[in-house]
Amino acid sequence: MGTNLITDMSCPDSQKLTLGAREAILPTSILFGRTICNYNADLYSEAQGEATDLSVMGVGSLKITENVSAFAEVAYTKSERPYTGAGATLGTGQTTNFNSSGIADPFQIILPIGHPDNPFPTARASVSVRLEDKLRTQTTTNENARAMAGLKGSNYGFDWETAVLWNRSERLQEYDNFFYIPTLKKINTGTSMATLFKDPTLTKDVKNKGSAEIMQWDAKATTEFGKLGGGAIGLATGVEFREERIVLAPDADLAAGNILGLANSVIDGSRKVSSAFIELRTPFLKNFEMDFAGRFDKYPGIKANFVPKVGAKWNVNDSLSFRSTYAEGFRAPALVQVLPGGSQFFLSGLWDPKRCEDDEQTPKPNATAADCSKSASGTGGANPDLKPETAKSYSFGLIFSPTRNFDVLVDWYKIRKEGEVMLGSEFQALKDEDRFPQNIIRDPNPVNWVTKDGVPVPGTGPLLSVKLPWINQGATEVTGLDVEMRMRNNLGTWGNLSSTFRGSYQISYKIAQVLGDVENNVAGKRPGLYDWNLSSGPDTPRFKGGLSTNWSQGPHSVSGSIAYVGSVSLMRNRDAGTIYPAEFCHYGTRKATDAVPNRNTSNPRFEEFEESCKVPDWTTVGLGYTYTGFKNLGLSINIANIFDSKAPYDPAYATSGYNTGLHNNRGRYFTLSANYKFN
């Protein structure tokens, strides 16, 4: 392969740039001293693009008899979002290509020897091109229509309601100026770039359509009967039948593999679902009652399922009450998770453990540096073998009101889910390749295998594709405490003061990637680091909580709030059943004491400002004032994050620098609002 050639075609003088030391080009490089056309793609970046929205809704009711009435509702919404991008580009490397059934042959511009645009007499050349007049624009249009009609009434001691619902959503995605591969291939057989770029068939516009539809009928009724020590028994029951359908249809040329740089989503199917429920409220005593409930669900291809729920509440006296529940859960996979087909996508920055050393930067023998930051195709989504999620939950709590102005609510809970449906990650697929080799596709040519002591290692060819199907994760078990305290103070002529504290403490958080795996408590940790056997998992601070207070007097109201998010450890402790001799930080400079030599060294100064190896805790304070002294008019000013507390730095989030699931990037900001009520 020859050297990449960047040429200066018709380029305005203002965009010309001569490459040199300032651009980190070595004097020995063929690019040194060359003039290129410097293109500013940021001109097409949009913080907030144009938007068009339409929404219409109508609601009506009609009294038919003294005890029966009809109701109806119709709604329609439409939104259109156009996005403008920079000119279409072709890079020097291979571009992943898809058709409707999977991966098509990748494409790369190769100028053969003798090509009119190849300056090398004895070598092939690749070329990088941007077509400034072919702007990549995208428009997404969403439409939703909804209609419902039903009857409700009271007859024979029952309050009842029944309704029919129809809902349909449609999405149209329009992409402009994407390369048409049959025309693009002409450049590899001798067609000059000047001729090719004038060909009107070089780019095509693509339209992808999708729709989802639900038709549903349900009926429910409630009544009371009999008598227990605390009153009548309450009964509620209902049934539901619905049909779900979804269609995702790609453009014909995209499905055929003729469009470069776009992926397919192909799904077409439907299913019918039926369910029923029953609930009983049994007030055995004036101060003690229990609730019994159950739900029946039937999905195609899944055994009919019944889940129960039992609850109890005991009012010991006017100041103290206890409550408790036991429930089982069932959730069938969503339709898009089980239908044939699925989604395709592009992956980049993948570290391939089969072809790259543990330091994440050095390729193994016969591999290349690209294997340490690999680009590949991704396919996945649907998994017809998915099983329903199941769950069991327990809770026990109390409500304590020692005075009429002070309440304490405490709830202990334990929830265990098994077979939880989740989308696999490329990180986990590569880490688990030996356990689930079907999810990784590699080049089978032995010439490209890495070598060990000069001997090729089977199954270590360059990464081609990663399959990320929906999977049933082994188990998740969470145990914690929720606490709420409320105080109300009457200050007489000084007004009223009320305060509320809410907090959640996580006692344990356990994950099993596969049923039977060792389950360790990762509360307060990053699961995929603390236990290297796990996927990254959600961050789980031990404690999150907040305190809010409000003082009011006449037309004046002042509120304040404090919000707290606990820290998250970034330490490595174990790999499944293997416990390291000593914990070590996953980020920063590698140390001889590290149990395994695969620390992330991309930020070698990490430990200088995060000695404890954690995402620090975060506290924000807010203040607000409202005045209602004007007739029908309320004026408010609120200051959020009044001390301008910055979100804690998280090295795992290279783009934002902070954990977008726990924190936000809003500094101190003010909100002024006015509320006027018309008589």
Side-chain angles (χ1 to χ4, degrees):
M1 181 63 64
T3 304
N4 300 334
L5 178 64
I6 302 176
T7 60
D8 173 24
M9 303 176 76
S10 56
C11 181
D13 290 340
S14 60
Q15 292 180 223
K16 290 181 179 179
L17 176 68
T18 301
L19 299 176
R22 187 180 61 177
E23 289 73 35
I25 304 297
L26 296 176
T28 54
S29 171
I30 193 174
L31 301 178
F32 192 88
R34 283 185 176 269
T35 298
I36 65 169
C37 196
N38 193 23
Y39 185 80
N40 185 7
D42 290 339
L43 293 175
Y44 303 94
S45 298
E46 296 178 331
Q48 182 173 343
E50 180 184 350
T52 303
D53 295 289
L54 172 67
S55 179
V56 180
M57 185 177 71
V59 178
S61 61
L62 174 66
K63 189 172 184 178
I64 299 175
T65 69
E66 189 64 29
N67 297 322
V68 178
S69 61
F71 58 90
E73 178 182 315
V74 293
Y76 173 79
T77 60
K78 181 178 180 179
S79 67
E80 187 174 291
R81 298 290 187 273
Y83 304 95
T84 301
T89 61
L90 279 171
T92 57
Q94 286 188 340
T95 301
T96 299
N97 187 29
F98 293 98
N99 57 34
S100 60
S101 60
I103 307 168
D105 293 334
F107 178 80
Q108 182 179 14
I109 290 184
I110 302 294
L111 304 182
I113 297 174
H115 189 283
D117 296 305
N118 183 358
F120 307 110
T122 59
R124 298 180 301 166
S126 62
V127 62
S128 178
V129 175
R130 182 184 296 275
L131 304 182
E132 294 188 39
D133 62 329
K134 302 289 187 182
L135 295 181
R136 284 277 176 85
T137 60
Q138 175 185 341
T139 302
T140 300
T141 304
N142 289 298
E143 293 183 87
N144 179 266
R146 181 176 185 270
M148 180 183 66
L151 297 170
K152 62 181 178 180
S154 298
N155 300 92
Y156 308 106
F158 284 86
D159 293 329
W160 57 271
E161 183 176 313
T162 182
V164 176
L165 170 69
W166 172 79
N167 191 92
R168 180 177 175 85
S169 298
E170 295 184 355
R171 183 186 67 185
L172 173 64
Q173 292 179 304
E174 300 174 274
Y175 302 89
D176 295 340
N177 292 320
F178 273 77
F179 288 113
Y180 184 59
I181 293 177
T183 301
L184 198 58
K185 285 182 176 179
K186 294 178 182 180
I187 197 171
N188 291 351
T189 58
T191 300
S192 70
M193 288 190 287
T195 300
L196 183 75
F197 297 156
K198 293 177 182 178
D199 193 323
T201 67
L202 178 62
T203 62
K204 283 204 168 186
D205 299 340
V206 177
K207 294 183 178 182
N208 290 340
K209 298 180 179 180
S211 65
E213 189 172 6
I214 293 177
M215 178 65 78
Q216 175 181 305
W217 172 79
D218 64 17
K220 55 190 176 184
T222 61
T223 189
E224 291 184 345
F225 65 95
K227 193 169 181 63
L228 296 173
I233 299 171
L235 170 68
T237 186
V239 294
E240 178 185 298
F241 300 93
R242 72 177 183 273
E243 182 175 3
E244 306 170 347
R245 181 171 183 81
I246 187 167
V247 178
L248 298 178
D251 184 277
D253 275 316
L254 179 58
N258 293 332
I259 303 298
L260 190 70
L262 278 181
N264 289 274
S265 291
V266 186
I267 296 177
D268 188 348
S270 63
R271 69 180 177 188
K272 296 180 179 179
V273 181
S274 57
S275 61
F277 74 90
I278 186 170
E279 298 180 16
L280 279 174
R281 181 179 60 84
T282 54
F284 291 109
L285 302 170
K286 290 186 180 297
N287 65 340
F288 179 74
E289 67 176 48
M290 295 187 69
D291 297 308
F292 301 88
R295 182 179 178 89
F296 167 91
D297 290 282
K298 181 65 179 76
Y299 286 79
I302 299 175
K303 182 180 178 181
N305 188 79
F306 178 80
V307 291
K309 178 182 178 182
V310 180
K313 184 176 182 181
W314 177 30
N315 296 320
V316 180
N317 52 45
D318 292 340
S319 300
L320 180 63
S321 299
F322 293 98
R323 57 189 179 186
S324 182
T325 61
Y326 167 77
E328 295 182 12
F330 166 90
R331 190 174 80 87
L335 187 58
V336 295
Q337 296 171 340
V338 294
L339 285 177
S343 299
Q344 305 163 343
F345 36 85
F346 300 91
L347 300 170
S348 61
L350 300 178
W351 175 70
D352 187 347
K354 295 281 188 182
R355 299 179 61 82
C356 197
E357 299 289 358
D358 287 340
D359 63 7
E360 303 188 8
Q361 299 173 352
T362 305
K364 294 181 179 180
N366 204 38
T368 67
D371 294 305
C372 301
S373 184
K374 184 72 173 178
S375 295
S377 64
T379 60
N383 179 0
D385 298 324
L386 280 179
K387 295 178 173 55
E389 299 176 8
T390 59
K392 291 184 178 181
S393 63
Y394 311 82
S395 69
F396 179 80
L398 62 85
I399 304 173
F400 181 49
S401 302
T403 71
R404 60 183 299 178
N405 297 323
F406 182 55
D407 304 317
V408 179
L409 294 81
V410 180
D411 285 290
W412 170 90
Y413 62 87
K414 180 178 181 180
I415 304 170
R416 182 175 179 84
K417 295 182 181 179
E418 293 191 353
E420 187 173 4
V421 176
M422 62 178 293
L423 185 65
S425 70
E426 57 270 25
F427 169 78
Q428 192 66 33
L430 287 166
K431 195 164 70 170
D432 285 345
E433 182 176 355
D434 292 337
R435 300 171 71 185
F436 307 107
Q438 69 273 19
N439 290 334
I440 302 296
I441 300 176
R442 295 184 176 276
D443 184 346
N445 190 344
V447 174
N448 296 323
W449 292 350
V450 300
T451 59
K452 184 176 182 180
D453 300 327
V455 179
V457 180
T460 60
L463 182 65
L464 298 178
S465 182
V466 181
K467 294 182 179 179
L468 305 178
W470 292 95
I471 60 174
N472 287 109
Q473 182 173 270
T476 302
E477 185 176 293
V478 183
T479 305
L481 281 175
D482 288 335
V483 179
E484 181 176 339
M485 292 185 285
R486 300 189 293 247
M487 177 172 283
R488 300 165 297 280
N489 299 99
N490 187 334
L491 306 179
T493 58
W494 288 92
N496 295 286
L497 180 68
S498 62
S499 301
T500 301
F501 168 80
R502 293 185 178 91
S504 181
Y505 180 80
Q506 199 161 88
I507 298 171
S508 71
Y509 190 100
K510 297 180 179 180
I511 302 174
Q513 207 72 43
V514 178
L515 276 178
D517 283 359
V518 177
E519 298 181 25
N520 300 296
N521 186 1
V522 294
K525 319 281 196 308
R526 179 156 293 165
L529 298 185
Y530 181 81
D531 184 349
W532 194 246
N533 180 57
L534 299 175
S535 62
S536 55
D539 284 351
T540 55
R542 280 282 191 181
F543 181 77
K544 292 192 291 184
L547 174 66
S548 61
T549 187
N550 178 267
W551 171 81
S552 61
Q553 183 191 45
H556 305 281
S557 177
V558 179
S559 61
S561 64
I562 300 174
Y564 175 84
V565 179
S567 63
V568 176
S569 171
L570 303 177
M571 298 289 283
R572 296 272 298 275
N573 180 275
R574 60 188 66 208
D575 187 347
T578 301
I579 302 176
Y580 301 146
E583 285 190 341
F584 67 97
C585 188
H586 180 67
Y587 296 95
T589 305
R590 186 172 294 105
K591 295 178 173 57
T593 54
D594 291 352
V596 287
N598 61 350
R599 181 191 287 235
N600 186 322
T601 59
S602 60
N603 190 341
R605 297 185 58 194
F606 175 76
E607 66 270 16
E608 291 183 21
F609 51 91
E610 293 297 346
E611 295 181 2
S612 57
C613 189
K614 65 182 180 182
V615 179
D617 55 14
W618 192 43
T619 302
T620 55
V621 178
L623 185 64
Y625 170 72
T626 299
Y627 180 74
T628 57
F630 302 113
K631 183 180 179 180
N632 298 337
L633 178 65
L635 300 175
S636 298
I637 179 172
N638 288 280
I639 310 174
N641 195 0
I642 194 169
F643 296 114
D644 201 24
S645 176
K646 294 180 175 58
Y649 172 67
D650 191 330
Y653 293 78
T655 302
S656 63
Y658 64 92
N659 186 331
T660 54
L662 293 177
H663 314 116
N664 63 69
N665 63 349
R666 295 190 297 270
R668 182 191 304 112
Y669 66 98
F670 301 79
T671 304
L672 295 172
S673 61
N675 182 17
Y676 186 84
K677 295 181 180 180
F678 295 91
N679 291 329

